Amino acid sequence: MEGHHHHISANVDAGDRFPQWSVQETRDFLMIRAELHPTFMETKRNKLLWEVIATKMKDKGYNRSAEQCKCKWKNLVTRYKGCETMEPEGRQQFPYYNEMQAIFAARMQRMLWMEAEGGGASGSKKKGVALSSDDEDDNEESDREKGGGGTQKKRKVALKSASRGNINSLKDVLEEFMKQQMQMEMEWIKAYEAREEERRMKEMEWRQAMEALENERVMMDRRWREREEQKRMREEARAEKRDALLTALLNKLRKENHM
């Protein structure tokens, strides 16, 4: 037990060496760690993830290495676990309790969802894993060097098996979702093509109706012109006959005068 406390204090010193972490820096760190928390749950090789966190911290203006971030996280987890057994008034001494509680609550919710999807251990066992697996994730390299215990190895194998089962279940859900999406898309395409065909047919009928109306208008115009032409020709014929009669009458009158 004493060796365990000694190991924790060494990590605390390594993570909290000068320059010390300010309150704002720690809150920014927890915000970044919360964003990547689902990824930490999905992988055991998280060394690269701590490098990502260190890079994000640098983007915010903090110069922290991946090892410092990792040690700071273990220190915060240790303090959070210590507050779990305290009264609510005592938890106020840990200023980051609410942020840590939100992270672990999200972890618990995700693990319960995974359990509901693929079936798994009981709720009490899940709670134990939710509070302890972070240390297992972060201490992967040190556990490998120490050899680890048989129980811990079995736990890791069980977690990996459950993870594979959950991944397969998630794949099945995604495949079914994709099938439904493709089916909906095909139905939408068919409906769109049917509407487009109906639109084309209506447009064709409209054009044919317009052409028929135009042809009828042209025929009516032609018949009107023909009637007008016939009327004009009749009037001209009447005028010629009238002129001929008048000419004949004048000629007759002239002959009678000469006699």
Side-chain angles (χ1 to χ4, degrees):
M1 193 71 177
E2 292 178 0
H4 178 69
H5 286 297
H6 179 71
H7 179 65
I8 292 175
S9 63
N11 289 334
V12 172
D13 293 338
D16 290 339
R17 67 165 62 95
F18 291 107
Q20 293 183 354
W21 292 68
S22 65
V23 174
Q24 186 59 45
E25 182 182 9
T26 304
R27 295 192 188 279
D28 290 339
F29 165 73
L30 287 175
M31 186 180 300
I32 296 171
R33 182 60 174 76
E35 291 175 359
L36 294 175
H37 199 69
T39 310
F40 272 90
M41 292 182 64
E42 294 173 0
T43 179
K44 290 291 183 180
R45 301 183 179 278
N46 49 35
K47 183 177 180 181
L48 182 59
L49 294 178
W50 288 113
E51 294 290 345
V52 172
I53 290 178
T55 301
K56 287 180 174 289
M57 290 290 289
K58 189 170 294 184
D59 293 340
K60 289 182 176 292
Y62 306 116
N63 187 19
R64 298 292 179 181
S65 66
E67 186 64 27
Q68 285 178 315
C69 294
K70 180 177 178 180
C71 291
K72 181 64 175 178
W73 172 251
K74 287 193 287 187
N75 178 31
L76 292 170
V77 170
T78 301
R79 294 186 62 185
Y80 172 73
K81 289 181 180 179
C83 290
E84 284 291 283
T85 58
M86 294 182 181
E87 296 294 331
E89 294 78 9
R91 294 173 183 174
Q92 296 178 359
Q93 298 178 1
F94 182 42
Y96 314 109
Y97 180 82
N98 292 334
E99 287 86 346
M100 296 294 294
Q101 187 179 39
I103 292 174
F104 282 106
R107 172 193 284 267
M108 175 65 73
Q109 184 177 4
R110 182 178 178 85
M111 296 186 76
L112 289 175
W113 176 81
M114 292 171 65
E115 181 184 7
E117 285 293 322
S122 63
S124 59
K125 186 175 180 181
K126 282 291 181 185
K127 185 174 181 181
V129 173
L131 290 177
S132 63
S133 59
D134 229 332
D135 288 338
E136 292 171 8
D137 291 348
D138 294 340
N139 290 314
E140 178 199 3
E141 295 179 1
S142 60
D143 288 343
R144 190 183 296 114
E145 292 174 358
K146 294 178 181 180
T151 303
Q152 187 174 2
K153 289 182 179 179
K154 290 180 181 179
R155 185 184 300 171
K156 288 186 177 181
V157 170
L159 286 173
K160 288 180 180 179
S161 299
S163 178
R164 283 195 295 269
N166 291 328
I167 290 174
N168 292 333
S169 176
L170 184 59
K171 285 182 179 178
D172 294 338
V173 173
L174 289 176
E175 289 177 0
E176 183 65 23
F177 175 75
M178 292 303 296
K179 287 180 182 178
Q180 293 179 359
Q181 287 293 109
M182 291 179 65
Q183 184 177 359
M184 291 174 61
E185 186 174 354
M186 291 298 296
E187 292 177 356
W188 181 86
I189 291 174
K190 289 181 180 179
Y192 172 78
E193 291 177 349
R195 290 195 300 270
E196 189 67 15
E197 182 65 21
E198 183 180 0
R199 186 191 64 80
R200 284 196 294 266
M201 293 297 296
K202 288 184 177 179
E203 184 177 356
M204 187 179 298
E205 292 176 358
W206 179 80
R207 288 182 177 179
Q208 290 175 351
M210 290 297 102
E211 289 177 359
L213 288 173
E214 181 66 16
N215 292 334
E216 185 178 356
R217 187 191 66 79
V218 171
M219 291 297 297
M220 291 178 65
D221 185 67
R222 185 180 299 172
R223 286 195 294 268
W224 178 81
R225 291 179 183 276
E226 289 175 354
R227 286 196 299 269
E228 288 295 317
E229 182 65 19
Q230 291 173 0
K231 181 180 179 182
R232 185 185 63 79
M233 290 176 67
R234 285 195 300 269
E235 289 178 353
E236 288 180 355
R238 284 197 295 268
E240 288 178 357
K241 289 180 181 180
R242 186 173 57 251
D243 292 342
L245 287 172
L246 290 173
T247 301
L249 288 172
L250 287 173
N251 290 333
K252 186 177 180 179
L253 291 172
R254 286 173 185 170
K255 288 181 179 179
E256 290 178 353
N257 290 331
H258 286 296
M259 293 177 63

